[in-house]
Amino acid sequence: MNVSSGYAHAWESFWEDAPYEPGGVFWDAEPAMTAQQHLAYFEKHFDPGLPLVDLGCGNGTQTRFLAGRYPRVVGIDLAHAAIERARRDDPHGLAGYQQLDAVDTDAVRALHEELGDANVYMRGVLHQCEPADRSRLVDGIATLTGQRGRAFAVELAEAAKGVLMGLAQGPAGPPPKLGAIFAHGIAPGEVDDAAVPGYFTSAGLDVLTEGEEPLRTTEFRPDGARIEVPSRWLVAGLAA
């Protein structure tokens, strides 16, 4: 069952059309600037013996990096085209990949039955959900983490809207990689900074730590500076 049909088509078409070269997608920065930086925030909270789910894995750039650090890593994404790319870009099978709608309760429960309790890594997925799906998404994360797992989530901060709109409304229009997102009907949703931890506590999880970290993109300003977008992160799970 595809619960998120309202935006599934937009993501499918985005990944079908996205360029194949490294860094061809706005947020697909290399792991040295993303997941590797995030390790400092979540590694001490994650049980290294548990599997890890990269929720919203896209083409698997961060999934492959994380695969060497946990006994089993599975990337899941709403779009079939994204999963196909992730598999193609991982010829040695460092990780596994599944097309899965993370707000599909039955599908998430089946994945938990397959993996057991797991850690979850999620970057920029909650704000892309339809508002009605956000609680179900985080409920699904709570299902995946179970009793022993932990979740790391990084999401655009409220201040990101001003940065993105400023880029989109510049004299030359949005940078090409940002323009490709808008062209497919994908626009960052507004989620209040205070609302994000609230979704996790409402799902029965404790917010163990949180902070700020800019989202580093693959796009650059005319002066050559890398575009960074304000973001916030948290680690959640059942407190010991």
Side-chain angles (χ1 to χ4, degrees), residues 16 87 104 113 124-125 151-152 156 202:
E16 287 172 352
R87 289 171 175 158
D104 184 334
E113 290 175 3
V125 176
F152 172 82
L156 297 187
S202 294

Side-chain angles (χ1 to χ4, degrees), residues 39-93:
L39 281 172
Y41 305 133
F42 69 73
E43 194 169 29
K44 61 187 176 184
H45 296 280
F46 281 18
D47 183 337
L50 294 181
L52 181 141
V53 175
D54 182 5
L55 196 162
C57 67
N59 59 352
T61 300
Q62 314 308 319
T63 322
R64 293 186 292 277
F65 170 82
L66 294 166
R69 289 161 174 77
Y70 296 91
R72 182 180 177 187
V73 173
V74 177
I76 64 173
D77 200 279
L78 177 65
H80 289 275
I83 293 299
E84 289 173 1
R85 286 183 181 231
R87 289 171 175 158
R88 188 211 64 174
D89 291 343
D90 189 1
H92 301 295

Side-chain angles (χ1 to χ4, degrees), residues 159-175 178 182 221 227:
K161 180 180 178 180
V163 174
L164 294 173
M165 291 302 101
L167 292 168
Q169 296 167 2
L178 181 59
F182 294 141
R221 299 181 185 275
I227 294 173

Side-chain angles (χ1 to χ4, degrees), residues 28-38 61-66:
D28 193 32
E30 60 190 71
M33 292 186 289
T34 49
Q36 185 171 329
Q37 298 291 319
H38 297 152
T61 300
Q62 314 308 319
T63 322
R64 293 186 292 277
F65 170 82
L66 294 166

Side-chain angles (χ1 to χ4, degrees), residues 117-232:
D117 289 356
N119 299 309
V120 175
Y121 177 82
M122 182 177 75
R123 189 168 66 103
V125 176
L126 186 65
H127 76 275
Q128 290 288 4
C129 283
E130 298 285 357
D133 284 342
R134 290 172 185 154
S135 292
R136 280 194 293 181
L137 173 70
V138 183
D139 287 345
I141 291 172
T143 296
L144 291 171
T145 56
Q147 295 294 314
R148 298 188 296 147
R150 299 285 186 269
F152 172 82
V154 57
E155 294 291 333
L156 297 187
E158 289 179 47
K161 180 180 178 180
V163 174
L164 294 173
M165 291 302 101
L167 292 168
Q169 296 167 2
K177 296 172 189 175
L178 181 59
I181 298 172
F182 294 141
H184 285 84
I186 299 168
E190 296 183 41
V191 184
D192 293 343
D193 290 347
V196 175
Y199 284 113
F200 286 83
T201 55
S202 294
L205 300 175
D206 300 297
V207 175
L208 306 175
T209 183
E210 57 186 314
E212 299 179 0
E213 173 78 16
L215 173 68
R216 296 171 179 88
T217 77
T218 61
E219 192 64 274
F220 297 84
R221 299 181 185 275
D223 63 2
R226 184 182 295 274
I227 294 173
E228 297 186 350
V229 184
S231 299
R232 296 186 59 83

